[in-house]
Amino acid sequence: EVMLTSERYSVQRLPFSRLSDSDVAFFEGIMPGRVITNPEELKPFNVDWLKSVRGCSKLMLKPQTTAEVSQVLRYCYERNLAVNPQGGNTGLVGGSVPVFDEIILSTVLMNRIISFDKVSGILVCQAGCVLEKLNEYLEEQGFIMPLDLGAKGSCHIGGNVATNAGGLRLLRYGSLRGTVLGLEVVLADGSALDCLASLRKDNTGYDLKQLFIGSEGTLGVITAVSILCPQKPKAVNLAFLGCQSFTKVLETFTTCRAMLGEILSAYEFMDKKCMELVVKHLKLSSPVADSPFYVLIETSGSSSTHDEAKLNSFLEQAMTSGLVTDGTVATDDKKIKAKVLASFGFLRSLVCQALWSLRERITEALTHDGCVYKYDISLPVGKLYDLVNDTRARLGRSAKNVVGYGHLGDGNLHLNITAESYSHSLLDAIEPFVYEWTARHNGSISAEHGLGFKKKQFIQYSKPTEAVLLMQRFKAMLDPKGILSPYKVLPSSS
């Protein structure tokens, strides 16, 4: 059952103005036909993707230009109306939906590609462009987006930047903090900040865009993005492997980094429970024999012969040294390789997309398993799976499933717990235990999902008091009335 966000967490509505008919009339004047007040139409935008929290906004606006966003925010600022910026609404921490009756400001119609430079690989586009659509556009030009997520079919690039999304390509191309070159942002009072630079190097003053990357809509509304895109690799290979222990997963990673070097683009892992869930709920099939752990390795390079030779050499080493017990390989062009692998009992080969589905669709499979408690943690790689074991031991039969998967190459664990239905006592057993455990091992309580609404009160497990106070000062300076994404990211300053 979807719960009102304010019911589950003790939060009081702040004294913002209530929406009036004259407000709606003003917005209709700016953007006729793009003002949504029908409660049925609003329903899906009031509920998050996990169906775990919901607000009760009575109004959604769909601007098409930065000028319209400016007009909206200037008016809301003067009227003291709270605003909830929303992209594809694929967030997992309750950050993309209203908590109470905030106006939803949707970027869904801001989906124009402004420019692309084939020489530099720099793309400039509006914030509402869907990640997958951008990638398709770039692939036609011989480039790709530097990030890839399971939610790529519906998430917006503006939301990706606002949440500093990580995803499946971070190991190779780094985070958005490095690939985003410039932003256009509208501040709470409606003033537009044009920092839409298309330069790799610009050392003039403070790097203001970094304030907005990862700010989750609390400091300004991102309206356009300038981003550096890598060339599309000519050769992509995947290996999906079975490992008998987490220690073997780590040793395989060490060997993999040493032998594949510059062509290694992803190293993902999932445990046996994850595989069981994607097989059961999504009817996918495992390409390898049952194992306690599975690893997905991707290489991306410019020479298929060179890359295949390196991958084959690595796989031979991994098999003969007992790191890997079974596996399958694939290339993106459907030409399947066997070569040295045949003698090691590799089952069969698949195309890349089928292998990636096993990893990318775990989140989807979990939603079919009941109520999901999601944790997105960064830890020293050697400790990554200990948290899953300790949580499993702590919860015992009170949880249906406790699973661990994630971006091992980045030290990012997704710890997920499922139960038949929401239970306050189960949540109390998980939190703050998971956060205390993470802090004790010098980790971060949010590696890539952000804090949003659900995790804001736990920021102290990852940031010292002085840092939180400074963040609150930034918020007060850029949004003095606190109208942008209230109740999120930062604990209340009172």
Side-chain angles (χ1 to χ4, degrees), residues 263-459:
I263 62 168
L264 178 63
S265 53
Y267 191 98
E268 302 283 314
F269 91 99
M270 55 195 272
D271 62 16
K272 184 176 182 161
K273 277 279 173 213
C274 290
M275 180 64 83
E276 287 172 4
L277 291 172
V278 295
V279 169
K280 178 183 175 184
H281 296 299
L282 305 179
K283 305 292 182 264
L284 301 181
S285 57
S286 172
V288 299
D290 276 0
S291 303
F293 292 93
Y294 301 92
V295 167
L296 187 150
I297 295 165
E298 182 189 73
T299 65
S300 307
S302 55
S303 163
S304 54
T305 319
H306 168 269
D307 294 3
E308 279 179 36
K310 286 186 98 154
L311 183 61
N312 286 339
S313 165
F314 156 72
L315 291 169
E316 192 168 358
Q317 169 72 22
M319 294 296 283
T320 50
S321 58
L323 294 178
V324 168
T325 47
D326 194 16
T328 186
V329 283
T331 64
D332 62 344
D333 59 5
K334 301 184 175 64
K335 289 178 193 157
I336 306 304
K337 308 175 300 296
K339 294 186 183 168
V340 299
L341 309 176
S343 57
F344 299 115
F346 270 57
L347 283 183
R348 63 179 180 275
S349 297
L350 303 170
V351 292
C352 288
Q353 202 172 357
L355 292 183
W356 266 119
S357 290
L358 292 166
R359 163 61 187 88
E360 283 188 289
R361 296 182 67 192
I362 295 170
T363 305
E364 184 187 340
L366 283 157
T367 60
H368 293 287
D369 204 52
C371 178
V372 192
Y373 302 79
K374 300 188 81 67
Y375 300 89
D376 160 46
I377 309 289
S378 266
L379 284 165
V381 184
K383 298 280 181 197
L384 213 60
Y385 205 74
D386 292 351
L387 175 56
V388 184
N389 288 329
D390 289 0
T391 305
R392 207 173 266 153
R394 176 180 171 84
L395 299 181
R397 291 188 175 177
S398 60
K400 187 174 174 184
N401 280 303
V402 178
V403 308
Y405 63 99
H407 319 295
L408 190 117
D410 315 326
N412 180 186
L413 168 74
H414 295 309
L415 167 70
N416 283 232
I417 296 129
T418 64
E420 289 299 346
S421 57
Y422 173 74
S423 147
H424 212 77
S425 59
L426 179 57
L427 185 62
D428 288 343
I430 302 167
E431 297 175 11
F433 166 78
V434 165
Y435 300 131
E436 287 168 350
W437 196 104
T438 302
R440 205 162 53 244
H441 293 88
N442 303 312
S444 166
I445 65 160
S446 177
E448 58 180 5
H449 293 167
L451 295 167
F453 176 76
K454 294 181 181 176
K455 314 245 158 116
K456 64 167 188 172
Q457 68 271 40
F458 300 114
I459 192 172

Side-chain angles (χ1 to χ4, degrees), residues 155-196:
C155 65
H156 296 184
I157 188 64
N160 297 152
V161 173
T163 56
N164 189 27
L168 306 160
R169 288 179 179 160
L170 193 135
L171 180 65
R172 178 64 173 272
Y173 302 117
S175 81
L176 288 170
R177 294 200 177 278
T179 52
V180 170
L181 303 178
L183 293 176
E184 180 184 67
V185 182
V186 178
L187 301 180
D189 65 0
S191 54
L193 180 67
D194 184 355
C195 290
L196 206 56

Side-chain angles (χ1 to χ4, degrees), residues 199-256:
L199 301 169
R200 296 283 302 275
K201 301 174 96 169
D202 177 7
N203 218 356
T204 51
Y206 306 135
D207 190 0
L208 294 177
K209 70 174 179 291
Q210 294 296 346
L211 262 183
F212 301 98
I213 299 173
S215 66
E216 302 185 57
T218 59
L219 299 180
V221 177
I222 294 170
T223 51
V225 177
S226 167
I227 188 164
L228 182 66
C229 303
Q231 283 193 303
K232 184 183 178 183
K234 291 187 173 67
V236 175
N237 298 292
L238 279 190
F240 196 89
L241 314 171
C243 292
Q244 290 305 302
S245 67
F246 191 70
T247 304
K248 293 271 169 71
V249 170
L250 293 173
E251 286 175 25
T252 304
F253 178 54
T254 308
T255 308
C256 181

